[in-house]
Amino acid sequence: QVQLVESGGGLVQAGDSLRLSCSASGRFSDYNMGWFRQAPGKEREFVAAISWSGGNTYYAASVKGRFTISRDNAKNTVYLQMNSLKPEDTAVYYCAARPAGETTTLSWRYDYWGQGTQVTVSS
């Protein structure tokens, strides 16, 4: 089992950068990790995912080239570096974990979720 706590959200202007962190308890290196987001009135959507080793990463088309997912297994932390932020990136961002295996973009395949951190991008 793993517990997840996100941090690093905030209010920024379009074009700015933010780095989100997600700290995990438990055997972190046993889990593939993902970032998802949910904007008001919209369904939760996939943002990025990373395999347990960090060797494989996946991105939603809307963030590819602007966001970077990474992890530090020694620090039990996964990061989401967000550059060139746009107002449409405004959402609550969640990190999620699933036991190592196939790295997936499907939210229902993740077993553990953090409480979320708000990112607001003003125009």
Side-chain angles (χ1 to χ4, degrees):
Q1 194 168 5
V2 62
Q3 294 182 325
L4 306 172
V5 179
E6 302 97 335
S7 62
L11 172 63
V12 297
Q13 293 187 332
D16 285 351
S17 298
L18 273 179
R19 188 176 80 158
L20 304 184
S21 299
C22 174
S23 298
S25 65
R27 295 174 61 88
F28 181 67
S29 59
D30 287 350
Y31 293 87
N32 294 335
M33 301 297 296
W35 284 98
F36 293 79
R37 66 186 182 187
Q38 187 166 19
K42 295 187 177 181
E43 294 190 353
R44 190 170 298 187
E45 65 173 0
F46 168 76
V47 175
I50 189 167
S51 60
W52 67 272
S53 66
N56 294 300
T57 57
Y58 304 86
Y59 296 94
S62 59
V63 307
K64 197 168 186 178
R66 300 188 297 124
F67 291 11
T68 303
I69 188 171
S70 61
R71 67 189 295 161
D72 186 337
N73 286 347
K75 295 183 178 180
N76 280 19
T77 303
V78 61
Y79 304 98
L80 185 68
Q81 177 67 44
M82 306 186 293
N83 299 330
S84 303
L85 282 161
K86 304 176 181 179
E88 51 263 44
D89 294 318
T90 295
V92 177
Y93 283 71
Y94 299 88
C95 70
R98 70 180 301 269
E102 178 186 1
T103 306
T104 180
T105 65
L106 301 173
S107 61
W108 61 269
R109 298 190 69 180
Y110 285 81
D111 298 313
Y112 305 102
W113 292 82
Q115 83 289 348
T117 186
Q118 176 71 48
V119 172
T120 303
V121 185
S122 64
S123 58

